[in-house]
Every structure is written in C-alpha cells, then in structure tokens.
Amino acid sequence: MFFEDHSVMFALICAGIGVGYGLYLTFWLLRQPPGGERIQEIGRASQEGAAAYLKRQYITIAIVAIIPFLLLGFYNQLGWGTAIGFLVGAILSAAAGFIGMNVAVRSNTRTAAAAQDGLPPALNVAFKAGSVTGLLVVGLGLMGVAGYYWILTAGFGNSAESAVDDLIGLAFGGSLISVFARLGGGIFTKAADVGADLVGKLEAGIPEDDPRNPAVIADNVGDNVGDCAGMAADLFETYAVTAVAVMLLGTQFNSPELFLYPLSIGGVSILASVIGTLFARVKDDQSSVMAALYRAVAVATGLSALGFIPVTLAFDSPDGPFTFWQLYGAALVGLVVTFLLVGLTEFYTGTRWRPVRRIAKASETSHATNIISGLAVGMEATVAPVIVIAIGLVAAFEITGNLYGVGVAVMAQLSMTGLIVALDAYGPVTDNAGGIAEMADLPEEVRAITDPLDAVGNTTKAVTKGYAIGSAGLAAIVLFDEYVRGLAEEGLETVFSLSDPWVIAGLFIGGLMPFLFAALAMNAVGIAAAQVVEEVRRQFREMPGIMDGSQRPDYSRAVSIVTASALKLMLLPAAIPIAVPIIVGVINERALGGLLIGTIVTGIFLAIAMTAGGGAWDNAKKLIEDGAYGGKGSEAHNASITGDTVGDPYKDTAGPAINPMIKIANLVAILIIPIVVSIHT
C-alpha cells in the first residue's frame, strides 16, 4: 500500500508540474507585444468567433452527454462511480481544448508581431503557445486518471480493482467529447477553408488571407476550434484511454502495484517534455525550423528513456510476473515506434521529400492528375506505418510474453504526447499569424518569416495525426482484450474463430464503420462549404465595393453559417461508434468482438491514408506557392488548390476523427458487457 500511494502521488506531482509550467507559459505569452491596432482588431474577431462557437458546441455536447451519464449512473452493474468518472473525463477533455484554444488565439497576433523582428522570436512565441496545449493535455490527462483513482481508493475506500473499473467511465467521457470536438471543429474549419479558397482564390483571384474575402475570419476561427481545441480533446482522450486500458491489464496480475506502472511512466515523461520544450530554438532567420522542433522531441525522448530506468527498477519484484528488462524493453519499443511513425509521416507530407514533390509535379498537367497523385500518396503512406505498428506489436508481446507488454509500449509511445501536441498546436498558430500579417498589410518580409513557419506547421500537424492514429490502433487492441476478458469474468467464455459466421459478419460490419463515419463527415464538410460558397458569392455580387475596399465584408455571417452547420451535422456520424456496437452486441457477443477487430483494422488504414494524403496535398500547394513548377497564379497552382481543397476534409475532419471513433466503439463494448452477458446466457 505504501508504494501504491507514492506512485499515485508521484504521478499527481508530475501532472501538477506540467499544468503549472503550461500556466507559466500562458502568462509569459500574454506579456508579449500583441502588435498594432489592426493586428489586434483581426485577432479579436477570431477570438470572439472561436469562443462563441466553442460555447455553443460544448452546450450541445453537454445536452447529449446527459443521457449516457444517467444511464451509467442508474445501471446497477456500473453505478455512479463510473458515471462521475465519465463527467470528470468529459470536463477535463473540454477544458484542455478550451484553454488551448484561448491561448492560441491570443498567440496568433503575438506571433505575427514577433515575426517583424525575425524568425527566432516568432518561433519562440509560436512554439511556446503550442507547448501550453501540449502540457495541459498530458497534465490534465494524468491528473484526471491518477486523481480520480486516488479519490476512489483513499477517499471512498474502494478496492484498486473497483477503482480502475470506474476509470472506464473517465475514458469514455474523454472519448465522447473528443469525437464531437474533432467532428464539429473539423467540419467548421474545413467548410470555412474550402469556401474561402473556392470563391476567393479560384473565382475572385485574391490571395488566401485577403481581408476582402468574407470567409477569411471564419477560416481563422476554424483553425483554432479544429486544429487547437479539437486536436487537444483528441490527444487528451488518447492519453487517458490508453492509461486506463493499461491499468486494466495490470489488474489481472497478482503483483498489486503493477497496474500503476503506466502512471509512473506518464509522470517521468511530463518532466522530460517540460525540459524538451526549452530546446526548440533557432539562432537566425536561416536556421531550420524543423530541425529545432525535432531536437526538442529527441531531447524529451532521450530523457524519458533514461527516466524509465529508475521507475522500472522500482516495479521489478522477484515475485513479479515481469523482469526489469521485460518492462523496460517493452517501453523502449514504444519510443522506437514513436520515432519511426514521426519520421515516416514527415517523409510523406514534408516539402523536402519525393511524395509531396510528385503531387506538385503532377499539378502541371491537370487538376485530375493532382487528385490521382494525391490519392496514390495517401494509399502508399499506409504501408510503412502499419508495418511498424505490426512489428512493434509483436516485439512488445514477445519481450514480455503477454499483452501487457503491448500496453506498456503504447503508454511509452504516448508519453511523448506533450511534445507531439506542442508540434501540432504550433501549426495553426503560425498559419493564423501569416493570415493576420496579410490582412494587416504587414511588410512582405514578415510573410517571408511566417510562411516557412506555416509550411513546417502543415507537416507537424500531419505528424501528430499519424502518431495519434498509430497509438490508437495499439491501444484499441488492448481494449479488445479487455472486452474478451470481461466476458469471461462475467461467465461467458467466448472463442473468436474465423470459421464462425457471426465473427465474420462482425468483421464486415466493423470494417464498414470507419468508411460510413468518414463518408458522413466528408459530406458534412461539403454541405457546410457549399453554404459558405453561396454566402461569399452573394456578398461579392451584392456588395461590389468589397473588391475596391470601399465596403467591409460581413465576416460574422460566414461564421454564423458554419457554426450552425457544424453543430447540426456532427451529430449523426458521432452516433455511429455508440449505436452500432450496442445493436450488434445485443444480437450476438461474438459478432461484437469481430466488429471491434474490423473497426481497428480498416480504421487505421483509412485514417492514415486520409491524414497523410491531405497533408501531402496541402504542402504540394505550399511548394508551388514558394516558386516551384510555375509558382503562384500558374495552372499548376490552380490544380494544387483543388487538391488542397479535397485534402482539407481528409486531413482535418474525417481522418483524425477516426482515431477517437475506434476507441469509443471499444469502450462502449466494455461498458455493455453486463448487458451482453445477461442477454446471451
């Protein structure tokens, strides 16, 4: 009991340090110069729009969440411990996104202002803004899991096993918020982006962030609610769900403290991430931004690997099921998988490498060849990451001889979440800073600073999505094992055989779920984007003074349109991972097991293809805009805009939302085990 208390306390202290450092960075950012009056005016418009959207989104989610909260609470075999955990997970997930978004919108203007003094100060502001979100995600995630476990055991006297079971509710709460935030934010940001690009750039021939475009503020708002708030909720969910899943695996062993090992790993990595953020610096305007960002990740990874040694030694018991080298080896597998996934995603989405250059080259011949090339890159980008995931899965299992080794590897992989999220959140900050610089008519040399930062941000956002999807696949396998074990503990021994037609049927149904989910998400973007297109065209037609600057566009109208559409259209796809597993589980428990595996397999492939392909399309456009293959205004540039427009909902709406969708399906299956058993026994 002594060690259990100290393990939880260690995790809570480390989580507090992460949150505390994030708050310190917030105060530092708010002390930076916000820029001139025009910069601040644009920033306020984006800030007000983002806050208004998130308020309406979270009200909508809160109404939807009442039903599962009450069902969990009043169902005797789950109870209010699980229901309150659901509430804790939902609140913390929403808080991570809301705070991260608020810091980002205030940092956009400060990054634009800092860019007037060169690359080093601009990168410093942008990355610290991203670091706030990253540290809040891991800090609140670890604090939520460790803190709620401590309250249940120390405060209410629950057994360790009972407390860990109640943590499933916390994981489900985080997942539910995540899928809504990813979908709602993704629909908002891409509908505004697509609408602004199609009419502004292709029809009116004005620059991407031209203040004459009525959808330009909606586009800036979308970057914040989608890429900041939505991404933060997504990675919070991934982190919390994985920690809970590995703790569940650990409770099956006689060693009483082994299920707390993932909390200790998470604590060490938060400290390493705090130190890693200090290394993301450049010396001058000619320095490599990507090298600086990867240096921060490399430092944090190395420190984590060293920090895992004393923590693992503390869990190495002569009577325990695993040796030090088994646990530490599995953790190292997770770090190696992270490194490889990051590198592979950058290869397929970075402007320096062959895949993006191939799409840019294809843009010279037609819009169609750009689309064909982008689709091919997305499909090709699934091969190496899935092989890495498969090898990591087998290696971690073989090292420990148990699925717990896979859980340790996934937790070690997610221990880098703080730094990886910082890379992602940095992206929309620099993107909006560039837009603000253009709208505020800042000197061209300022865009020469913000554009390279933005191009790197496109790659880092793709890297984060690849990282999250890879970890989601491995975490879902751990959750599937919990479903199988849960059935057995309830007295329903089940064999999942490929000769069983129920299992095969479940595999097919599970396999189609990510495709149906993605189709609904893509269609939602298309519907909302069409409304934006019509609105922008209407304003250009009815307000001719917009083009010569004598009339001001009605920015609020476009924001209102995408707000209403996003909140309405996110509900149907979000219902799929909840409703379908329940229906299938009521019909047959073996079919539900097949469904979970089918969802994991097709979900990983589809998510990687969409996020990598979309990122490659985006950076192919950036490459051409930097002067390659004819530069801005060329036929290749027009074709690349079409590709980027198609890739937008791929990479920022449907693709990343598949990540929480996979885990929600698995968590729902675990939560309904008592119902499934009562029906089929």
Side-chain angles (χ1 to χ4, degrees), residues 383-439:
V383 178
V386 170
I387 291 174
V388 167
I389 292 170
I391 293 174
L393 172 67
V394 173
F397 186 92
E398 290 297 323
I399 287 172
T400 59
N402 188 281
L403 197 61
Y404 185 75
V406 178
V408 170
V410 183
M411 194 61 205
Q413 181 184 356
L414 281 169
S415 68
M416 292 293 97
T417 298
L419 252 295
I420 300 296
V421 171
L423 296 184
D424 188 297
Y426 147 92
V429 171
T430 57
D431 185 6
N432 278 352
I436 289 170
E438 184 165 316
M439 285 186 279

Side-chain angles (χ1 to χ4, degrees), residues 15-176:
I17 291 173
V19 173
Y21 187 64
L23 294 176
Y24 162 75
L25 290 180
T26 300
F27 290 123
W28 181 88
L29 286 164
L30 294 179
R31 290 198 303 269
Q32 303 310 301
E37 181 55 37
R38 178 59 177 155
I39 292 177
Q40 294 183 53
E41 178 187 351
I42 297 167
R44 280 193 296 270
S46 298
Q47 181 181 335
E48 290 167 4
Y53 171 77
L54 280 188
K55 181 180 178 181
R56 290 182 60 180
Q57 175 179 267
Y58 286 149
I59 290 173
T60 303
I61 297 172
I63 294 171
V64 173
I66 290 173
I67 296 174
F69 172 72
L70 294 176
L71 289 175
L72 291 171
F74 283 111
Y75 189 64
N76 291 334
Q77 289 177 280
L78 293 174
W80 291 106
T82 303
I84 293 172
F86 169 83
L87 203 60
V88 170
I91 290 172
L92 290 178
S93 178
F98 193 80
I99 297 171
M101 180 278 296
N102 272 286
V103 172
V105 294
R106 287 168 171 79
S107 301
N108 299 335
T109 56
R110 288 164 171 81
T111 301
Q116 297 177 87
D117 297 323
L119 181 62
L123 174 61
N124 191 33
V125 171
F127 186 74
K128 283 185 174 177
S131 298
V132 171
T133 304
L135 292 170
L136 285 177
V137 165
V138 292
L140 292 176
L142 188 60
M143 188 177 292
V145 174
Y148 192 54
Y149 169 82
W150 181 80
I151 290 171
L152 290 171
T153 52
F156 292 94
N158 292 15
S159 67
E161 290 76 11
S162 173
V164 174
D165 286 341
D166 285 341
L167 286 175
I168 297 174
L170 186 148
F172 182 52
S175 293
L176 190 67

Side-chain angles (χ1 to χ4, degrees), residues 361-388:
K361 177 66 177 175
S363 303
E364 289 187 306
T365 48
S366 70
H367 296 246
T369 49
N370 171 282
I371 298 297
I372 293 169
S373 182
L375 289 172
V377 166
M379 294 178 186
E380 180 187 326
T382 65
V383 178
V386 170
I387 291 174
V388 167

Side-chain angles (χ1 to χ4, degrees), residues 276 279 292-302 338 342 416 419-420 423:
F279 288 82
L293 299 181
Y294 280 169
R295 182 167 57 249
V297 175
V299 168
T301 303
T338 298
V342 167
M416 292 293 97
L419 252 295
I420 300 296
L423 296 184

Side-chain angles (χ1 to χ4, degrees), residues 567-579:
L567 294 176
K568 176 183 176 182
L569 296 170
M570 72 179 181
L571 297 175
L572 181 58
I576 290 175
I578 300 173

Side-chain angles (χ1 to χ4, degrees), residues 43 150 169 221 236 249 269 279 316-317 397 421 441 456 492 560 563:
W150 181 80
V221 170
F236 173 93
L249 272 179
S269 297
F279 288 82
D316 182 19
S317 170
F397 186 92
V421 171
D441 293 322
V456 170
L492 188 60
S560 298
T563 296

